[in-house]
């Protein structure tokens, strides 16, 4: 059973696009942790974005997932990592 999530465009700028891509990544991780599925379809409907999830997800199921770091720090081969705090999992 699929599930739809509709998010209105609030700013009319790239901020809306970045928000939607962040939400899509988050939902992908949640869906992968609950159902083992990763497929998400993203539609631009003009005044809002629509995410189509491969399976329905409840808030309780999502809250029970272990903590994960969605955005890892970006570093190159020569980056000094002494100032980057260690990210721990809960």
């Amino acid at each position: 059973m699929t599930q739809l999530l509709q998010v209105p465009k609030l700013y009319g700028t790239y901020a809306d696009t970045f928000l939607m891509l962040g939400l899509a990544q988050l939902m992908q991780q949640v869906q992968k942790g609950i159902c083992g599925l990763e497929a998400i379809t993203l539609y631009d409907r003009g005044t809002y974005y629509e995410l189509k999830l491969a399976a329905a997800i409840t808030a309780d199921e999502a809250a029970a997932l272990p903590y994960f770091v969605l955005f890892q720090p970006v570093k190159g081969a020569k980056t000094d990592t002494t100032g980057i705090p260690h990210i721990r999992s809960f």
Side-chain angles (χ1 to χ4, degrees):
M1 178 178 175
T2 61
Q3 182 175 11
L4 294 176
L5 172 67
Q6 295 179 343
V7 180
K9 293 182 179 180
L10 299 176
Y11 305 105
T13 64
Y14 282 115
D16 293 322
T17 305
F18 292 133
L19 171 68
M20 202 61 233
L21 291 175
L23 283 174
Q25 275 193 301
L26 178 63
M27 293 309 301
Q28 182 179 29
Q29 288 295 324
V30 169
Q31 186 172 263
K32 181 180 174 184
I34 293 173
C35 311
L37 304 172
E38 297 184 39
I40 292 178
T41 307
L42 175 61
Y43 298 101
D44 184 348
R45 301 290 189 202
T47 58
Y48 64 93
Y49 288 108
E50 186 175 273
L51 280 173
K52 182 179 178 183
L53 308 178
I57 298 172
T58 66
D60 292 335
E61 289 174 322
L65 287 174
Y67 177 79
F68 56 87
V69 178
L70 188 59
F71 301 104
Q72 296 290 332
V74 177
K75 57 185 175 183
K78 298 180 182 179
T79 303
D80 178 19
T81 60
T82 57
I84 300 174
H86 175 70
I87 299 175
R88 62 185 178 95
S89 297
F90 294 92

